[in-house]
Amino acid sequence: MQRLFKIKYAVLSGLVFLLAACGGEKEKAEATPDTPVYTLVFLDKTQSVNVNRAYVNEKYRQTLTDIMETNMKNKGDKLEVYYIHENTSKARALSLMIRSEKEINDGANATDREAIETAFQLSLQREKGIFLRQLLLKLNQQNTGSSNQSTDIWASLPVIAKAGESGAQVSVYYFSDMIESVKGADRRDFHKQPPVSDAEAEEEAKSDVKKLAKYAIGSPQITIVSPFEATASSKENNPHVTHYWQTLFQELGGVSVDEL
């Protein structure tokens, strides 16, 4: 009888230990912070995009403000700005990272927790305010050099691939008309020869993927923020060019592509 009691006690003790361990793991998992967000902003600095136009400037300013509010929320969230022009991949203009950190105090009462949250939000908003001012300065900066003659969007792909290696959640924004325009027999110049149908756009994109497949861009969320008004003609805002990019990005990684 005594031996049976000891066995039952040992089994119960083991169950209690396992439940406690599982509970500890659950609490640890719940305490794990969100995956950092790595935001890439590509600003078109070529002749075909005029950010001084009232519509473009207002749309771009508002979108940058929304990005700052949505993507920069926790310590480690990062935002980098690159200029799109002749030398896109080497044109990093800005690198920002959230440093504000919420104090951890598991034993805090409700009043103290509220004070901790308030202090964190104040620090975070200060950082974001500084960052937004820097972003808007970069938006309005003019490119009067010869690099404004070419639009090398392909060169953004290795930048995206490198961001993906960080393990962060990658969000990419193109503030551009997406008119790829690079001289060379194996390049696209949509100013001179744009796709004239969705079928042609798909054919060109799938052909180009063979050259660009070495860039493992992962599955980022990609948003194209166009400078075109809703009333723009199809000659100005060629829908087949948009289809080319949607096909290209999806073929490279099955990514989600939105257009604003």
Side-chain angles (χ1 to χ4, degrees):
M1 184 72 177
Q2 189 176 7
R3 184 168 177 272
L4 182 61
F5 175 79
K6 286 181 179 178
I7 291 172
K8 286 183 177 179
Y9 180 82
V11 170
L12 285 170
S13 297
L15 286 171
V16 169
F17 177 79
L18 284 172
L19 288 170
C22 290
E25 285 177 8
K26 184 179 178 183
E27 287 174 7
K28 195 179 290 184
E30 289 174 352
T32 302
D34 295 334
T35 302
V37 177
Y38 196 147
T39 304
L40 290 171
V41 170
F42 292 97
L43 295 176
D44 199 325
K45 294 294 180 179
T46 59
Q47 285 185 331
S48 61
V49 177
N50 182 6
V51 295
N52 289 328
R53 282 178 54 205
Y55 170 80
V56 178
N57 198 269
E58 177 58 29
K59 180 178 182 178
Y60 281 11
R61 285 173 64 93
Q62 186 58 56
T63 305
L64 288 171
T65 302
D66 292 344
I67 290 169
M68 185 61 65
E69 284 302 312
T70 303
N71 293 12
M72 304 291 273
K73 291 180 176 179
N74 299 296
K75 182 181 179 181
D77 287 346
K78 187 174 184 178
L79 186 150
E80 290 185 337
V81 175
Y82 283 78
Y83 290 157
I84 291 176
H85 51 43
E86 185 181 41
N87 195 19
T88 302
S89 63
K90 295 183 179 178
R92 190 173 75 178
L94 199 60
S95 182
L96 308 167
M97 184 181 287
I98 294 294
R99 306 288 181 186
S100 298
E101 187 173 14
K102 191 184 297 185
E103 181 185 341
I104 298 174
N105 191 339
D106 295 333
N109 58 34
T111 303
D112 289 342
R113 285 198 300 271
E114 186 177 344
I116 289 168
E117 179 64 29
T118 300
F120 170 68
Q121 290 299 331
L122 285 172
S123 176
L124 183 63
Q125 290 306 318
R126 273 197 299 270
E127 273 195 286
K128 287 160 71 167
I130 293 168
F131 291 170
L132 183 59
R133 287 194 291 274
Q134 292 176 296
L135 265 177
L136 297 179
L137 283 173
K138 295 302 179 184
L139 170 66
N140 292 313
Q141 188 171 321
Q142 300 297 308
N143 178 20
T144 56
S146 60
S147 64
N148 69 12
Q149 301 295 309
S150 297
T151 307
D152 192 355
I153 299 171
W154 280 12
S156 66
L157 297 176
V159 177
I160 299 172
K162 187 174 181 181
E165 292 172 2
S166 68
Q169 174 188 331
V170 180
S171 291
V172 182
Y173 297 84
Y174 288 96
F175 289 73
S176 173
D177 58 9
M178 303 303 283
I179 305 296
E180 179 84 352
S181 179
V182 180
K183 294 180 177 65
D186 61 341
R187 295 302 304 263
R188 299 290 172 193
D189 189 340
F190 290 152
H191 278 303
K192 292 183 177 179
Q193 195 171 358
V196 297
S197 67
D198 279 357
E200 184 177 329
E202 282 190 31
E203 183 182 346
E204 291 180 351
K206 289 178 180 178
S207 172
D208 292 342
V209 164
K210 296 171 186 174
K211 310 168 196 170
L212 303 169
K214 60 184 177 182
Y215 301 120
I217 66 171
S219 299
Q221 170 67 49
I222 293 178
T223 303
I224 297 171
V225 190
S226 79
F228 304 115
E229 297 187 51
T231 55
S233 67
S234 59
K235 185 177 180 181
E236 183 184 8
N237 181 14
N238 185 338
H240 310 308
V241 169
T242 302
H243 193 70
Y244 166 88
W245 289 109
Q246 288 173 333
T247 303
L248 183 81
F249 287 130
Q250 287 165 1
E251 289 288 323
L252 283 173
V255 298
S256 173
V257 183
D258 295 323
E259 185 177 14
L260 296 179

